[in-house]
């Protein structure tokens, strides 16, 4: 039977409307292609790239930055990369109507380095978010001029870090009310050193080119830059004790895991033990990796933090390499953790997240409430690092995954029912999360390796019987204007929720600074309390739902 064209269109429209997530990349005006030219089976080509959501012009909606690589890694031995105008990083301004406009050229942020990741934060406290970009080679710090243009201040600020950098994060680790910068570094990609060795090595029981196996390359130490308060930074890595030596680091996140009002540091490492550092409150950290029970040896890539079990402390989710299952670490702070210690327990199997992820290779991720029912769900962007056997220039694509929190400590795979699994197979990498269309639910932007990206519009707030929500934007005083590290506690009649504000997480990406709370069927927020980074508390009561509120720190 042949259906009329108008009926086919109607059926497609109904199906799209019924799906929680819809691919709106083309209609949004985002015309981006990762890389220019054919892949040549060299490791830097396969690692990136990331993206970031932030309001760069303070007009009330989220703009989008996408990191790129200029093309094949054709000159690795001399560590130089040909630069092209066709393949550069791009900045898209949100037009406020569901579409974006490319303003890369006028904004002067079209870096053509071998791009890896990015993170937004207002490092100089002038009220406009700045941008840090990580590369294979020198990184770039762009200062926001307040007029939708940026200035490259990398060398003036002293944050070039000319290594192979991956993820980066901002936070006020030393309590002086300005934002410091932690940069993850990967390996010394010295192919010349390995030219005389065998050309292939084993990964997960499979032979792969030696140039694609990170374990044959020496790891690089990470760098902590302390903000001097005058738009310059100082490398304090050794004194602070956070080199993460031997780490092959991919992404780091600052979070107050032990609830003592300073920012601890977790680092996800590839093919090496993860690191966790407890902030000692005096400008130094203590390595508590072993005693934390959360420093196992796997191929960690993506990193997310949040209170998935609603017990008032911050848990962790990490995406991994194949045959290593993704891990959900439950924070024991509110239970039986020893005093003044950071301790987690691996709940991957009991949470039903282990077996279903064993054959995936995961990257960008988040703990976020996609359906606004009041608990945190998990999204993972997947994409293989193995090549097609008959086309070695092509990596094997995989489906992305979405897991719904059932509220009882377990998760269920809802990738198919929400429309995620219906998307074309891609080799996904960095992923940014934020409500770009201001409709009360969290949207997802995914960078796909050597491919077009994917913008997934979340339709949860417009579906029948949708849940209520509240979004909170914090404005800090002093130079931490984004209130990075602040906590928000929210009470309704039947739940207590907590969120922290981060700058740098997922996988080499940067999420919206706006805290997004799903409220289920609650029709009022009874109490909302902000714990600022200086420990002071600020309380607001009886808040109406389904709105964004802005809270400015009291003097």
């Amino acid at each position: 039977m042949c259906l009329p064209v108008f009926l086919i269109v109607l059926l497609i429209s109904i199906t799209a409307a019924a799906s929680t997530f819809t691919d709106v990349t083309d209609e949004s005006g985002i015309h981006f292609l990762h890389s220019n030219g054919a892949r040549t089976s060299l490791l830097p080509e396969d690692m990136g790239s990331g993206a970031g959501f932030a309001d760069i012009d303070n007009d009330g909606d989220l703009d989008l930055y996408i990191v790129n690589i200029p093309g094949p890694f054709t000159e690795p031995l001399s560590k130089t990369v040909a630069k092209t105008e066709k393949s550069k990083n791009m900045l898209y301004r949100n037009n406020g109507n569901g579409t974006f406009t490319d303003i890369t050229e006028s904004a002067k942020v079209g870096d053509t380095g071998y791009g890896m990741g990015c993170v937004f934060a207002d490092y100089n406290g002038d009220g406009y978010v700045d941008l840090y970009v990580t590369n294979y080679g020198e990184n770039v710090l762009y200062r926001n001029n307040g007029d939708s243009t940026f200035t490259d201040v990398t060398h003036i600020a002293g944050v070039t870090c000319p290594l192979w950098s991956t993820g980066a994060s901002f936070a006020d680790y030393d309590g002086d009310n300005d934002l410091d910068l932690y940069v993850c570094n990967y390996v010394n990609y010295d192919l010349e050193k390995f030219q005389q060795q065998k050309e292939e090595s084993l990964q997960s029981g499979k032979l792969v080119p030696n140039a694609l196996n990170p374990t044959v390359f020496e790891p690089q130490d990470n760098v902590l830059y302390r903000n001097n308060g005058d738009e310059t930074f100082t490398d304090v890595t050794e004194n602070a004790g956070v080199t993460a030596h031997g780490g092959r680091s991919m992404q780091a996140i600052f979070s107050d895991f032990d609830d003592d009002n300073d920012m601890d540091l977790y680092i996800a490492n590839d093919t090496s033990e993860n690191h966790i550092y407890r902030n000692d409150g005096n400008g130094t950290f203590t390595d508590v990796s072993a005693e934390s029970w959360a420093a196992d040896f796997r191929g960690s890539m993506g990193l997310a933090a949040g209170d998935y079990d609603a017990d008032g402390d911050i848990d962790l989710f990490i995406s991994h390499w194949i045959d290593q299952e993704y891990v959900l670490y439950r924070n024991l702070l509110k239970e039986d953790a020893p005093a003044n210690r950071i301790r987690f327990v691996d709940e991957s199997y009991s949470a039903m997240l282990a077996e279903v992820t064993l054959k995936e290779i995961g990257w960008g991720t988040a703990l976020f409430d996609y359906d606004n029912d009041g608990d945190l769900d998990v999204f993972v962007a997947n994409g293989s690092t193995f090549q097609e056997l008959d086309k070695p220039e092509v990596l094997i694509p995989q489906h992305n995954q979405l897991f719904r929190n059932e509220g009882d400590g377990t998760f269920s795979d809802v990738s198919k029912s929400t429309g995620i699994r219906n998307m074309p197979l891609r080799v996904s990498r960095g992923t940014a999360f934020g409500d770009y269309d201001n409709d009360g639910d969290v949207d997802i932007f995914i960078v796909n390796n050597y491919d077009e990206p994917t913008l997934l519009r979340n339709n949860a707030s417009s579906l029948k019987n949708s849940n209520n929500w509240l979004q909170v934007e914090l404005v800090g005083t002093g130079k931490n204007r984004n209130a990075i590290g602040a906590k928000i506690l929210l009470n309704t009649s039947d739940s207590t929720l907590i969120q922290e504000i981060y700058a740098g997480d997922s996988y080499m990406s940067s999420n919206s600074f706006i805290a997004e709370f799903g409220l289920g069927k609650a029709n009022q927020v009874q109490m909302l309390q902000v714990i600022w980074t200086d420990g002071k508390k600020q309380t607001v009561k009886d808040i109406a739902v389904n709105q964004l509120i802005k809270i400015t720190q009291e003097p």
Side-chain angles (χ1 to χ4, degrees):
M1 181 178 67
C2 184
L3 294 175
V5 172
F6 79 89
L7 186 55
I8 294 174
V9 172
L10 179 61
L11 289 172
I12 292 174
S13 299
I14 292 172
T15 302
S19 296
T20 308
F21 287 92
T22 304
D23 183 347
V24 295
T25 314
D26 288 339
E27 63 192 72
S28 73
I30 298 173
H31 304 296
F32 174 90
L33 181 65
H34 184 262
S35 188
N36 176 45
R39 176 179 172 273
T40 61
S41 297
L42 294 173
L43 192 55
E45 299 170 337
D46 297 352
M47 303 305 293
S49 298
F53 275 126
D55 184 0
I56 64 110
D57 48 8
N58 292 347
D59 66 349
D61 47 37
L62 296 177
D63 309 296
L64 175 66
Y65 190 76
I66 316 172
V67 181
N68 211 339
I69 60 176
F73 197 76
T74 51
E75 301 176 11
L77 300 184
S78 62
K79 292 186 172 62
T80 60
V81 179
K83 293 180 170 63
T84 72
E85 288 300 318
K86 293 183 178 179
S87 210
K88 59 187 177 185
N89 300 352
M90 299 185 73
L91 175 63
Y92 287 91
R93 183 184 63 223
N94 192 326
N95 298 321
N97 61 0
T99 68
F100 292 81
T101 297
D102 177 3
I103 61 168
T104 310
E105 185 173 350
S106 62
K108 299 180 174 59
V109 290
D111 185 44
T112 53
Y114 219 86
M116 293 291 136
C118 66
V119 57
F120 283 103
D122 182 5
Y123 81 94
N124 59 355
D126 66 352
Y128 292 92
V129 290
D130 310 296
L131 173 64
Y132 189 72
V133 180
T134 59
N135 290 316
Y136 178 100
E138 288 193 356
N139 299 337
V140 183
L141 176 62
Y142 290 110
R143 185 186 64 212
N144 192 328
N145 299 320
D147 58 0
S148 295
T149 70
F150 292 75
T151 299
D152 182 344
V153 295
T154 315
H155 290 274
I156 296 172
V159 290
T160 54
C161 196
L163 302 173
W164 181 355
S165 298
T166 49
S169 296
F170 281 98
D172 178 16
Y173 86 93
D174 53 359
D176 63 354
N177 205 30
D178 54 28
L179 295 177
D180 312 294
L181 172 64
Y182 191 78
V183 181
C184 293
N185 295 310
Y186 195 46
V187 299
N188 179 18
Y189 197 61
D190 187 355
L191 285 177
E192 190 171 12
K193 180 179 178 181
F194 297 96
Q195 275 184 326
Q196 305 306 316
Q197 297 189 14
K198 60 184 179 180
E199 294 183 358
E200 292 183 318
S201 54
L202 283 174
Q203 280 188 296
S204 191
K206 300 179 181 179
L207 283 174
V208 299
N210 219 29
L212 289 175
N213 188 346
T215 63
V216 304
F217 299 99
E218 290 296 321
Q220 295 176 321
D221 289 348
N222 298 339
V223 180
L224 174 62
Y225 292 105
R226 186 188 66 220
N227 192 328
N228 299 322
D230 59 0
E231 301 202 17
T232 68
F233 292 79
T234 299
D235 181 347
V236 296
T237 317
E238 291 289 343
N239 289 338
V242 289
T243 58
H245 185 68
R248 298 186 183 90
S249 299
M250 304 299 283
Q251 183 62 52
I253 192 167
F254 283 100
S255 178
D256 186 9
F257 296 117
D258 53 2
D259 198 26
D260 64 351
N261 213 53
D262 52 32
M263 303 307 291
D264 310 300
L265 178 63
Y266 190 95
I267 304 159
N269 295 322
D270 187 15
T271 62
S272 36
E273 289 185 355
N274 294 344
H275 285 82
I276 184 164
Y277 294 99
R278 186 185 64 229
N279 193 324
D280 296 328
N282 59 3
T284 68
F285 293 77
T286 296
D287 187 342
V288 296
S289 304
E291 68 183 65
S292 74
W293 298 350
D296 53 352
F297 189 114
R298 305 192 211 186
S300 299
M301 270 85 82
L303 180 58
D307 184 14
Y308 86 92
D309 54 354
D311 66 347
D313 51 32
I314 301 300
D315 312 298
L316 287 168
F317 179 84
I318 306 171
S319 60
H320 285 137
W321 203 58
I322 194 170
D323 293 332
Q324 297 175 350
E325 73 265 349
Y326 303 163
V327 64
L328 180 68
Y329 283 122
R330 179 166 57 88
N331 194 333
L332 297 178
L333 180 66
K334 302 298 183 180
E335 299 175 36
D336 57 355
N340 300 317
R341 288 191 181 181
I342 297 173
R343 184 157 286 176
F344 295 86
V345 62
D346 183 346
E347 297 284 10
S348 308
Y349 279 90
S350 61
M352 309 297 288
L353 288 169
E355 292 185 10
V356 71
T357 60
L358 265 173
K359 296 305 177 183
E360 309 298 333
I361 297 179
W363 308 84
T365 186
L367 283 162
F368 77 116
D369 189 357
Y370 86 91
D371 53 0
N372 287 336
D373 67 347
D375 47 34
L376 299 182
D377 313 295
V378 176
F379 176 88
V380 189
N382 296 319
S384 185
T385 56
F386 293 115
Q387 304 173 153
E388 299 274 6
L389 292 178
D390 57 343
K391 293 189 295 181
E393 72 279 6
V394 176
L395 293 175
I396 298 172
Q398 293 180 319
H399 284 293
N400 298 326
Q401 292 173 296
L402 179 64
F403 302 99
R404 184 179 63 216
N405 190 330
E406 299 297 341
D408 58 1
T410 68
F411 291 76
S412 59
D413 188 342
V414 293
S415 307
K416 186 174 181 179
S417 63
T418 57
I420 297 294
R421 193 170 179 83
N422 300 328
M423 304 298 168
L425 280 169
R426 300 277 174 77
V427 180
S428 297
R429 292 294 187 257
T431 309
F433 298 81
D435 184 9
Y436 84 91
D437 54 356
N438 292 331
D439 65 348
D441 47 39
V442 181
D443 310 296
I444 306 173
F445 181 82
I446 307 164
V447 182
N448 298 307
N449 190 268
Y450 274 78
D451 205 338
E452 297 175 352
T454 307
L455 177 61
L456 294 177
R457 185 186 67 214
N458 190 340
N459 305 309
S461 62
S462 61
L463 296 177
K464 186 178 181 180
N465 298 319
S466 62
N467 292 311
N468 294 322
W469 52 272
L470 183 74
Q471 295 183 349
V472 184
E473 180 179 2
L474 300 183
V475 181
T477 57
K479 292 189 175 181
N480 187 2
R481 299 291 296 273
N482 304 127
I484 306 303
K487 303 183 191 73
I488 304 172
L489 291 95
L490 181 151
N491 289 329
T492 67
S493 58
D494 56 2
S495 65
T496 299
L497 307 174
I498 182 173
Q499 288 193 31
E500 285 183 319
I501 308 300
Y502 305 120
D505 50 351
S506 183
Y507 174 73
M508 301 198 297
S509 296
S510 186
N511 298 330
S512 168
F513 296 129
I514 295 173
E516 292 131 343
F517 291 92
L519 303 176
K521 300 306 178 184
N523 54 23
Q524 187 181 51
V525 173
Q526 295 177 337
M527 187 275 290
L528 184 149
Q529 184 178 75
V530 181
I531 304 174
W532 301 95
T533 54
D534 61 3
K536 294 181 180 178
K537 298 178 180 179
Q538 194 168 334
T539 301
V540 183
K541 295 183 177 181
D542 300 330
I543 305 168
V545 301
N546 299 335
Q547 64 167 327
L548 182 148
I549 64 170
K550 182 180 290 188
I551 301 176
T552 301
Q553 186 174 6
E554 295 175 346

Short mmCIF file of all heavy atoms in Angstrom, two decimals, residues 24-47:
data_model
loop_
_atom_site.label_atom_id
_atom_site.label_comp_id
_atom_site.label_asym_id
_atom_site.label_seq_id
_atom_site.Cartn_x
_atom_site.Cartn_y
_atom_site.Cartn_z
N VAL A 24 17.89 18.60 15.61
CA VAL A 24 17.53 19.86 14.97
C VAL A 24 18.76 20.59 14.44
O VAL A 24 18.75 21.81 14.25
CB VAL A 24 16.76 20.77 15.95
CG1 VAL A 24 15.43 20.16 16.33
CG2 VAL A 24 17.59 21.08 17.19
N THR A 25 19.83 19.86 14.17
CA THR A 25 21.10 20.47 13.78
C THR A 25 20.95 21.34 12.54
O THR A 25 21.37 22.51 12.53
CB THR A 25 22.16 19.38 13.52
OG1 THR A 25 22.13 18.42 14.58
CG2 THR A 25 23.54 20.00 13.44
N ASP A 26 20.36 20.79 11.49
CA ASP A 26 20.27 21.53 10.23
C ASP A 26 19.40 22.77 10.36
O ASP A 26 19.78 23.87 9.95
CB ASP A 26 19.71 20.62 9.13
CG ASP A 26 20.72 19.57 8.68
OD1 ASP A 26 21.93 19.78 8.90
OD2 ASP A 26 20.30 18.55 8.12
N GLU A 27 18.22 22.61 10.97
CA GLU A 27 17.31 23.75 11.05
C GLU A 27 17.81 24.82 12.03
O GLU A 27 17.37 25.97 11.97
CB GLU A 27 15.91 23.29 11.46
CG GLU A 27 15.82 22.65 12.84
CD GLU A 27 14.50 21.96 13.08
OE1 GLU A 27 14.28 20.89 12.49
OE2 GLU A 27 13.69 22.49 13.87
N SER A 28 18.74 24.44 12.91
CA SER A 28 19.26 25.42 13.87
C SER A 28 20.30 26.34 13.24
O SER A 28 20.66 27.37 13.84
CB SER A 28 19.89 24.70 15.06
OG SER A 28 21.12 24.09 14.69
N GLY A 29 20.80 25.99 12.06
CA GLY A 29 21.80 26.83 11.41
C GLY A 29 23.23 26.51 11.79
O GLY A 29 24.15 27.28 11.48
N ILE A 30 23.45 25.38 12.45
CA ILE A 30 24.81 24.97 12.81
C ILE A 30 25.37 24.14 11.66
O ILE A 30 24.98 22.99 11.44
CB ILE A 30 24.81 24.16 14.12
CG1 ILE A 30 24.30 25.02 15.26
CG2 ILE A 30 26.20 23.62 14.42
CD1 ILE A 30 24.09 24.25 16.56
N HIS A 31 26.29 24.74 10.93
CA HIS A 31 26.89 24.07 9.78
C HIS A 31 28.39 23.92 10.06
O HIS A 31 29.19 24.79 9.74
CB HIS A 31 26.63 24.87 8.50
CG HIS A 31 25.18 25.13 8.24
ND1 HIS A 31 24.27 24.12 8.01
CD2 HIS A 31 24.46 26.28 8.22
CE1 HIS A 31 23.07 24.63 7.83
NE2 HIS A 31 23.15 25.94 7.96
N PHE A 32 28.71 22.81 10.64
CA PHE A 32 30.07 22.55 11.12
C PHE A 32 30.48 21.16 10.68
O PHE A 32 29.66 20.24 10.66
CB PHE A 32 30.09 22.65 12.65
CG PHE A 32 31.40 22.27 13.30
CD1 PHE A 32 32.39 23.21 13.53
CD2 PHE A 32 31.63 20.95 13.70
CE1 PHE A 32 33.58 22.85 14.13
CE2 PHE A 32 32.82 20.59 14.31
CZ PHE A 32 33.81 21.54 14.52
N LEU A 33 31.74 21.00 10.32
CA LEU A 33 32.27 19.69 9.98
C LEU A 33 33.58 19.50 10.72
O LEU A 33 34.48 20.32 10.62
CB LEU A 33 32.49 19.54 8.47
CG LEU A 33 33.02 18.18 8.01
CD1 LEU A 33 31.98 17.09 8.28
CD2 LEU A 33 33.38 18.23 6.52
N HIS A 34 33.65 18.40 11.46
CA HIS A 34 34.87 18.11 12.21
C HIS A 34 35.95 17.63 11.25
O HIS A 34 35.79 16.63 10.57
CB HIS A 34 34.60 17.04 13.27
CG HIS A 34 35.78 16.76 14.15
ND1 HIS A 34 36.62 15.70 13.94
CD2 HIS A 34 36.27 17.42 15.23
CE1 HIS A 34 37.56 15.70 14.86
NE2 HIS A 34 37.37 16.73 15.65
N SER A 35 37.03 18.38 11.19
CA SER A 35 38.23 18.10 10.40
C SER A 35 38.02 18.35 8.91
O SER A 35 36.91 18.50 8.41
CB SER A 35 38.72 16.66 10.60
OG SER A 35 39.97 16.49 9.98
N ASN A 36 39.15 18.41 8.23
CA ASN A 36 39.16 18.65 6.79
C ASN A 36 40.15 17.68 6.17
O ASN A 36 41.35 17.78 6.38
CB ASN A 36 39.58 20.09 6.50
CG ASN A 36 39.69 20.36 5.01
OD1 ASN A 36 38.82 19.97 4.25
ND2 ASN A 36 40.76 21.01 4.60
N GLY A 37 39.64 16.71 5.42
CA GLY A 37 40.53 15.72 4.83
C GLY A 37 40.34 14.36 5.47
O GLY A 37 39.50 14.16 6.34
N ALA A 38 41.14 13.39 5.03
CA ALA A 38 40.99 12.00 5.45
C ALA A 38 41.86 11.69 6.67
O ALA A 38 42.98 12.18 6.80
CB ALA A 38 41.35 11.06 4.30
N ARG A 39 41.32 10.87 7.56
CA ARG A 39 42.04 10.40 8.73
C ARG A 39 43.22 9.53 8.30
O ARG A 39 43.12 8.76 7.35
CB ARG A 39 41.08 9.62 9.61
CG ARG A 39 41.68 8.96 10.81
CD ARG A 39 40.61 8.23 11.61
NE ARG A 39 41.21 7.44 12.68
CZ ARG A 39 41.65 6.19 12.51
NH1 ARG A 39 41.53 5.60 11.34
NH2 ARG A 39 42.20 5.54 13.52
N THR A 40 44.34 9.63 9.03
CA THR A 40 45.56 8.89 8.67
C THR A 40 46.03 7.95 9.77
O THR A 40 47.21 7.61 9.84
CB THR A 40 46.69 9.86 8.29
OG1 THR A 40 46.99 10.69 9.43
CG2 THR A 40 46.30 10.74 7.12
N SER A 41 45.13 7.53 10.67
CA SER A 41 45.43 6.55 11.72
C SER A 41 46.50 7.02 12.69
O SER A 41 47.38 6.26 13.09
CB SER A 41 45.83 5.20 11.11
OG SER A 41 44.78 4.66 10.36
N LEU A 42 46.42 8.27 13.09
CA LEU A 42 47.32 8.81 14.11
C LEU A 42 46.46 9.30 15.28
O LEU A 42 45.41 9.90 15.10
CB LEU A 42 48.19 9.93 13.54
CG LEU A 42 49.18 9.46 12.47
CD1 LEU A 42 49.89 10.64 11.83
CD2 LEU A 42 50.21 8.48 13.06
N LEU A 43 46.95 9.07 16.49
CA LEU A 43 46.14 9.20 17.70
C LEU A 43 45.50 10.58 17.89
O LEU A 43 44.32 10.65 18.28
CB LEU A 43 46.99 8.83 18.91
CG LEU A 43 46.27 8.64 20.24
CD1 LEU A 43 45.16 7.61 20.13
CD2 LEU A 43 47.27 8.20 21.32
N PRO A 44 46.20 11.70 17.66
CA PRO A 44 45.54 13.00 17.89
C PRO A 44 44.30 13.22 17.03
O PRO A 44 43.43 14.01 17.39
CB PRO A 44 46.64 14.01 17.54
CG PRO A 44 47.92 13.27 17.78
CD PRO A 44 47.63 11.86 17.35
N GLU A 45 44.20 12.54 15.90
CA GLU A 45 43.03 12.68 15.05
C GLU A 45 41.77 12.11 15.68
O GLU A 45 40.67 12.53 15.36
CB GLU A 45 43.28 11.98 13.71
CG GLU A 45 44.45 12.52 12.91
CD GLU A 45 44.79 11.65 11.72
OE1 GLU A 45 44.43 10.44 11.74
OE2 GLU A 45 45.41 12.15 10.78
N ASP A 46 41.95 11.15 16.58
CA ASP A 46 40.81 10.38 17.09
C ASP A 46 40.27 10.87 18.42
O ASP A 46 39.21 10.43 18.86
CB ASP A 46 41.21 8.91 17.24
CG ASP A 46 41.58 8.26 15.93
OD1 ASP A 46 41.39 8.89 14.87
OD2 ASP A 46 42.07 7.12 15.96
N MET A 47 40.98 11.76 19.10
CA MET A 47 40.64 12.08 20.49
C MET A 47 39.54 13.12 20.63
O MET A 47 38.78 13.08 21.59
CB MET A 47 41.88 12.57 21.23
CG MET A 47 43.03 11.58 21.20
SD MET A 47 42.59 9.94 21.80
CE MET A 47 42.32 10.32 23.52
#
